[in-house]
Amino acid sequence: MTKIALIGGGPAALFMYKRLVESGLQNMEVSIFEQHETLGAGMPYSHYGSAQEHITNVSDNEIPDIKTHLKEWLTVAPTDVLKEFSMLDKEFNEYKVLPRLLFGEYLSAQFKLLLSEAAKNKLTTQVYLNTKVVDIIDNKKKEQVKIITQNGEEYSFDKLVICTGHSW
């Protein structure tokens, strides 16, 4: 069993996890460590790095496929989310940029869909929300990497991908 850790749960981790889920590889366990309370949005598309008035720098036609297209997700997104961003009863244009926080909601929803697909494919995934990694120790002799969290918890993995992305 290969144990893989992703440090960070934002957009970079979303696309890395997508590749792992779609790889079809067997005998793999994935652990995701995210310092905040949700997966997908990361800093640039959450309240940690954006405000209501901030917009994305890409439009739907530039976003790589995840699980569902943005246009499709907007048809099933929670009404309260759409209302918050004045997206109710509006015609969606794939060339229009969106509010960053709305895009973060979309990315979070996509991460949930990937987690569901992973479970169906029997890919074991552990998600550690509100868990900040404070140290990484590479043990070359054992070919393992140890992660230490701010609570002093220690976890060992065969592979590690740092997906921390943006930082202000």
Side-chain angles (χ1 to χ4, degrees):
M1 183 67 64
T2 302
K3 294 175 70 176
I4 301 171
L6 304 180
I7 298 178
L14 171 65
F15 283 100
M16 183 68 224
Y17 188 63
K18 177 183 183 325
R19 297 294 180 242
L20 293 172
V21 170
E22 293 176 347
S23 73
L25 295 173
Q26 301 295 312
N27 299 323
M28 178 174 47
E29 289 181 4
V30 179
S31 294
I32 304 169
F33 294 84
E34 169 54 43
Q35 69 177 339
H36 299 300
E37 65 280 348
T38 58
L39 294 176
M43 186 280 301
Y45 305 109
S46 71
H47 291 285
Y48 297 104
S50 292
Q52 194 75 16
E53 66 273 10
H54 294 147
I55 59 170
T56 59
N57 57 353
V58 295
S59 56
D60 180 44
N61 66 318
E62 300 172 292
I63 300 167
D65 288 344
I66 304 173
K67 289 305 300 169
T68 59
H69 289 285
L70 181 59
K71 183 175 184 174
E72 181 183 342
W73 176 77
L74 287 170
T75 65
V76 297
T79 304
D80 59 326
V81 170
L82 296 176
K83 187 176 181 181
E84 180 181 352
F85 297 100
S86 302
M87 294 296 290
L88 290 174
D89 301 325
K90 285 194 175 182
E91 180 112 1
F92 178 72
N93 178 337
E94 68 180 284
Y95 297 100
K96 181 180 178 181
V97 294
L98 293 174
R100 282 180 165 265
L101 296 175
L102 177 61
F103 188 59
E105 294 283 343
Y106 165 71
L107 294 174
S108 293
Q110 298 305 291
F111 221 126
K112 288 176 186 170
L113 291 173
L114 283 171
L115 289 167
S116 294
E117 183 178 336
K120 287 177 191 171
N121 295 341
K122 298 185 174 150
L123 171 62
T124 302
T125 305
Q126 296 291 324
V127 177
Y128 299 91
L129 297 175
N130 298 307
T131 304
K132 186 173 183 175
V133 173
V134 295
D135 202 1
I136 301 168
I137 301 168
D138 186 16
N139 186 333
K140 291 181 182 182
K141 288 182 184 176
K142 289 186 177 181
E143 295 185 8
Q144 287 192 327
V145 179
K146 184 187 295 185
I147 289 176
I148 302 172
T149 68
Q150 71 183 32
N151 296 334
E153 297 162 322
E154 296 183 8
Y155 303 89
S156 292
F157 298 95
D158 302 302
K159 307 284 182 190
L160 170 81
V161 182
I162 299 174
C163 304
T164 53
H166 288 79
S167 177
W168 294 130

